[in-house]
Amino acid sequence: MNPIEVLGLAAGALTTTAYLPQAVRTLRSGSARDLSLAMLLLLITGIVLWLAYGALAGLPAVVAANAATLLLTLPILWVKLRRG
C-alpha cells in the first residue's frame, strides 16, 4: 500500500469515526429532533455520490470511508423519519 493510499484511509477512518458518537446517541435516545432533515438528506446524497465516484475511479479508500459513513448515517435518518 502506498503512502497516498494510507493517507486516504487514515482520513476516511477519522471522518467516518466522527459520525459514530452521533449514531450511538441517536439510536440510544431514539430521537434525532435536533438534527435537520435537510442536512441529513444532503449529507447522505453526498456520501452516495462520493461512494459512486470512488467505485468508478477505483479508489478503495474513498469507497471504504463512504460505505462506512453511509452505514452510520442511514440509522440516524431512519430515527429522524420515524421519531423526529
Side-chain angles (χ1 to χ4, degrees), residues 45-82:
T45 301
I47 292 167
V48 169
L49 292 175
W50 274 115
L51 184 56
Y53 169 77
L56 293 171
L59 301 169
V62 174
V63 171
N66 285 286
T69 303
L70 187 62
L71 291 176
L72 290 172
T73 53
L74 286 176
I76 296 170
L77 177 63
W78 181 80
V79 170
K80 179 69 174 174
L81 293 174
R82 301 256 322 172

Side-chain angles (χ1 to χ4, degrees), residues 9-63:
L9 288 169
L14 291 172
T15 57
T16 298
T17 303
Y19 289 97
L20 189 58
Q22 186 64 58
V24 169
R25 182 177 182 174
T26 300
L27 293 172
R28 281 188 181 161
S29 71
S31 175
R33 185 171 320 163
D34 292 336
L35 299 175
S36 163
L37 178 59
M39 182 275 299
L40 285 171
L41 293 174
L42 288 168
L43 176 64
I44 289 171
T45 301
I47 292 167
V48 169
L49 292 175
W50 274 115
L51 184 56
Y53 169 77
L56 293 171
L59 301 169
V62 174
V63 171

